[in-house]
Amino acid sequence: MGKSFFKTRVILFLTALLLCSMAGLSNAEDELNCVLCHKHRGLSRIDENGNLRLFYINEHMFEEGPHFRVKCIDCHQDIAKIPHDPAKKVDCTTECHLTEPSGQKNFSHKSVAEQLNKSVHGKFDTEGKEKKNVQDFPGCKDCHEEPLYRPLSFFKGKAGGISQRGISRCKTCHRTGKFAESFYKHVTSRLQKTRQPVEMVQVCDRCHSDKDLQQRHNLDDVVNTYKETFHYKAIKFGSDETPDCLDCHVVKGESVHFIEGRNSPTAANNNKNVATTCRTSECHDKASENLAGYRVHVTYDKDKYPFLHYMMMFFTGLMAAVMYFFLVLIILELLRRLFPNFSFTKSPDDGHH
Amino acid sequence: MLPNQLKKLMGKLYAIALIVFAVWYGYFIYPIIFSHAEHHGLDVVTAKAGASVEEKMLQKVMSEQKSTATTDLGYTVVKEQYVKGHFHHVGMTMEKDETSVCARCHGSVPHSKAKPIRAFLNMHAFFIGCETCHIKAKPDQAPWSFRWYDKITGKILTSNPKGLVETEKEMHGNYGAKIGPGTLASDGSFNFLNGERERAFVIDYLKNKDALNSTDQSKMKKVIHRLVDEKPLLCDNCHTSSQKPYIPFDELGYPQRRIQQITSTEVVGMLQKYRDFYFPRFVMPGQTRADQPAPNAEQQADASKAR
Amino acid sequence: MQKYPKIVEKNGRRYFFRFSLHQRLQHIVLFTCVITLSLTGFPLKYFDQPWAAPIYKFFGGIHVAPTIHRTFGTILLCLFVYHTIYWVYLFYSRRILRLKKEGCLTFGNAVKEFLSQEMIPCKKDFYDLIDMFKYLLYITNRPPRYDRISWKEKFDYYAPYWGIPILGPAGFILWWRDEFSHILPGFAFNILYVMHTDEALLAALFLFFVHWYNVHYSPEKFPLGTVFITGYLTEADMIHEHYAEYERTMREEGLEDQIKPQHH
C-alpha cells in the first residue's frame, strides 16, 4: 500500500496546495522556506549536555499529522531571522494562528496543560507551589512526539486509511479536497488510540524506569512490574485488547492528561475505584469486586508481599535443588562411564558371574 | 575387536561431550532459576552512589543506546529511530558511517567549534566524507577524483545513490552513501585517500593506544593526520555559480536541477543574503582568535553566544 | 485387556516388555501437550527474548496461541483425570477384587496391597539410591540392581503428578478469572500466576535435560530411546537399567541358564 498511497497523498496535497494558492488563500505552511535547510537529514549537532540535537524535519510525515496547517513560526515564535539562533523550547500553550472552528477563537493547547497541571504529573501542588524535584515532572514533549493521523475506514469492516466511499459524502459539498480529508482524518483518528499500546508503555517507561527518578520520588518500579503481567505480554505480541498504562490510570471519560495519584479519592486506581476500573464494559465486566485485589505492580519484596516472597523462595529452592541434584548425578554417572572398571573395593558379587 | 574398541572410545568421547553440556546447562539455568530477584527489582543495579558527572553521563548514554529502538507508529507503520527530545518525526533510520577512519575518534557528528554553522557542517558530513573538505590536493598533485562509497561496507558505489536522482523520493542527504576523494591510478582504478590500509592502521593504533606513551601517541596522530589541511574548504568552493564547483556534482550523478539549486538559485542566494553564514573565515582551524578576520563583529559575538 | 508376552525374540535378540499400547498412547498425549504448552507458554514468560516472538508467531500470535495453549491444557487436565481413574480401576480390578474373592478384604490388607504396587516408592528405592552413590563415587564396582521401576522413573512419574495439579488448575482459574473472582480473592490470581509459571519452568528445565538424558541422551541410547514407541526394551538396556527385573523375568520364563552378567 505504502508507495502508491504515499504517491496519491503527495499528489493530493500538491493539488490542494495549487487550488488553495489559486483561490488566493495562503495555506503554505512554509512561507519562510525553513525546509530549505531543515529538510536535510544530517542537520544536527551535539549539545553542551552531550545530547544529539537533530534539526531535521520530515516534511511528508509532518503533513500526516494534525499540525500540517500550522506554520513553523506559529510554534517557533522566537525565530525572527535566518540563520537563526538556537530556538527556544516551544510553548504548546501559546495561541497559534489557527482559528478553532467551534469557538472562533485562536487555537491553543492551554486546556490540555490545565488538565496536566491538575494531575499527579503537574509541576505545582495544590497551593500553587513548585513541587520538589520539579525538573522530573513531564512537559508536553516528554510524552509526545508529533502526533500522526491514523484515519479509519468503517465501510465493510474496520480498516486503516481514508474510506473513499465515506469521504465522497463530504466532498460533494466541501469540494476543496484538503478540508474534507483533514476533517475526516481529524475525526476518525480520534475514534481509536492514536498510539499503539506498546508505544504508550514506552512513553511511561522513559521516566518511570529511571532508577534515580524512582528514588527521588519514592516510586515503585511500576513499568517493569507491569511488564510481567499478561496485560503487557499480550500487548507486546500485538494485541490491542489488553490495557496499557492509560487504560487503568485514567478514569473512563476523563482526559488522558488527567492522571491522578492513588491517594486522590477520584483516581482510577484509588482503592475504592479499582474494582470499577477493572470491571468496565470492555474488560472484566463479568468479574466480582474481588478482582480488585489482584496486584498488577507486584514485587517479591519481603515486606510488601511476604507471601509471594516466600513462595518465590520455595519455588527457587525447589528448582535449584531438583535441577542441581540431577545435574550432579548425571555428571557423576558420565564420569563413572569413563573409568568403568575402577573402584576402591571390589564387591564379591560384582555382576561377573 | 577393533570396532569394539572404537565404539568404546566413541562412547567415552560422547560422555565427555555430554559432561561439558551438562556443566554448561547448569551454568545456563542458573540465571533462569534465580532471575526473580532481578526481574522484580529486588537487587536493582542502581547507578553507583557518588558517581562523577562523567560516569553518570556515560551510564546514561549507554542506557539510551539500547532504547534507540524503532517505534511502530501503527497505522502508517513507520519504523524510525528514536531521537530523544526530537518532536518532529524522523521517519527513518539513519545509517552511521561504519567505514570512515575519522569518525572512529571524531564521531559522526564531528563539528562543534564553529557555532553558527556547525549544524550545517554536520549536515554536510552526513553525506560528504571528511577528507573531501579537509584534505586538498597539493599543488604538485593531480586534483582528486570523487566517488560515492557505501556507509556500511565502504565499497565504491557502481551506480549513483537512489535518493539522489529520483525527485519524488529525494532523500536530502540520507543516501546511505558518502562522497569521498581519491586518486585515479594509471590503470583506471580508483583509490580513496583513506582506504583499507589507512583504516587498518587506525584500528591497530586505537587497539594499542593505551600501551603507547604520550610522545608516541602524538607521533602516531601526526602520521594519521599527515594529509589533513590546516584550512578546510569553504562553503563557496562548492556553492558557487561563478566558477566550477570544487566537487564535480555532475560526475557524481547529481541531477541538473539539484546542481542548479546547490550552485545558484536556492543556496547561493541564501548565502549571499547572509554573508557571515557561509564565509566562516573566523573559525579557521589552527588560527587564534586574534588573527581571525572578523567581517562583522556584532554578528560574530552574537554567533558565539548562539548554537 | 491385551496380554503382552514378557519376552519377545526377534532376529535372535530378546526384547523385554515394559509399556502397553494404552500406556504408550497416554504418554504420547502427555508429551504432545507438554511440548505444545511449553512452546505457547514460554514465549510469554520470556517475552523480551529474541526467540519469543518468532515461536509465538508460529503458533498464530496473540490471537491464536492462547487458544492453543488453553486447548492443550484442557486435554492435559483430562488426561490427568483419566489416568487417575485408570490407576484406581487397575487397583480395584486387580487387587481389591482379588482380595474380595479370597475373602480377606480388610482395610489393613487394602493398604498393604496399595503400597505393594510397582509405582509406589518402597524401601528398595532407598537402598538402590545408596547403592547408586556407592557405585558412582567409585566405592564399589557393583551397579545398583533396579527392579521394574527404578527410583528415577518413579521420580519422573510423580513429577507430572505434582506438576499438573499445580499448573493445570492454576491455568484454568487464570483462564476463567472473571468467573472465579466471585469465589476467590484478587490476590489469589497473583499467587496462581507465580505457581503456574514457576512450576512450568521447573518442569521444562527438568524434562529437557534430566528426563531426556535418562531416555535419549545417555550414551547407550543416543540419539533416540525407542521404548516409548515400541513398548519393549532391548536386553542390553534391560541389564543396564533393570537388572533385578531382568533376572526375575529370565527365571520366570525358564531361561535361567542364559542370564547374562551385569556390565557396568
Side-chain angles (χ1 to χ4, degrees), chain A residues 327-340:
Chain A
L327 272 181
V328 167
L329 205 68
I330 286 172
I331 291 170
L332 283 176
E333 200 168 277
L334 287 164
L335 284 171
R336 190 69 177 87
R337 283 167 205 264
L338 295 180
F339 311 100

Side-chain angles (χ1 to χ4, degrees), chain A residues 36 44 82-83 146 199 228 324, chain B residues 26 39 72 87 89 266 274:
Chain A
L36 173 68
S44 59
I82 304 171
E146 176 146 49
E199 286 176 80
E228 288 297 314
Y324 286 108
Chain B
H39 256 258
D72 184 4
F87 180 71
H89 283 289
E266 267 188 7
Y274 307 97

Side-chain angles (χ1 to χ4, degrees), chain A residues 228 284 288 336-337 344-345, chain C residues 135 138-139 178 181 193 220:
Chain A
E228 288 297 314
H284 300 281
S288 88
R336 190 69 177 87
R337 283 167 205 264
F344 294 110
T345 64
Chain C
Y135 175 71
Y138 293 92
I139 292 167
D178 287 7
S181 71
Y193 189 73
E220 307 84 20

Side-chain angles (χ1 to χ4, degrees), chain C residues 25-206:
Chain C
L25 283 175
Q26 289 185 52
H27 176 247
I28 287 172
V29 174
L30 173 70
F31 76 69
T32 314
C33 285
V34 170
I35 290 172
T36 316
L37 287 167
S38 305
L39 289 175
T40 50
F42 282 104
L44 280 182
K45 184 167 168 73
Y46 295 104
F47 64 94
D48 48 359
Q49 297 291 322
W51 48 263
I55 294 179
Y56 215 58
K57 206 175 165 193
F58 177 81
F59 284 96
I62 192 67
H63 300 295
V64 182
T67 313
I68 297 178
H69 191 84
R70 286 159 188 168
T71 311
F72 278 84
T74 311
I75 296 173
L76 188 56
L77 264 183
C78 292
L79 179 75
F80 178 81
V81 172
Y82 173 78
H83 185 81
T84 309
I85 292 169
Y86 163 73
W87 201 20
V88 171
Y89 167 76
L90 279 190
F91 177 66
Y92 180 78
S93 64
R94 288 195 186 163
R95 312 249 174 175
I96 302 291
L97 280 185
R98 201 192 64 219
L99 283 179
K100 253 188 192 169
K101 240 183 237 168
E102 291 167 1
C104 46
L105 177 64
T106 60
F107 181 72
N109 278 344
V111 170
K112 245 187 213 166
E113 281 292 332
F114 182 82
L115 291 178
S116 70
Q117 290 179 107
E118 61 189 20
M119 269 303 170
I120 302 295
C122 58
K123 259 190 222 162
K124 183 172 179 345
D125 294 325
F126 180 68
Y127 294 129
D128 281 347
L129 194 70
I130 292 170
D131 278 357
M132 183 200 67
F133 273 112
K134 272 186 181 168
Y135 175 71
L136 290 184
L137 297 171
Y138 293 92
I139 292 167
T140 169
N141 58 341
R142 181 185 178 278
R145 294 177 171 183
Y146 296 126
D147 206 336
R148 181 159 167 72
I149 309 289
S150 69
W151 69 267
K152 274 190 212 170
E153 287 163 319
K154 283 178 192 173
F155 190 93
D156 276 6
Y157 180 76
Y158 285 107
Y161 244 92
W162 144 266
I164 295 176
I166 288 190
L167 272 168
F172 188 80
I173 294 170
L174 289 171
W175 173 10
W176 298 102
R177 59 209 167 267
D178 287 7
E179 286 73 7
F180 274 100
S181 71
H182 292 276
I183 335 169
L184 294 172
F187 196 66
F189 298 104
N190 286 99
I191 294 165
L192 292 166
Y193 189 73
V194 175
M195 269 165 60
H196 192 74
T197 62
D198 278 15
E199 183 54 35
L201 179 64
L202 172 59
L205 290 179
F206 183 82

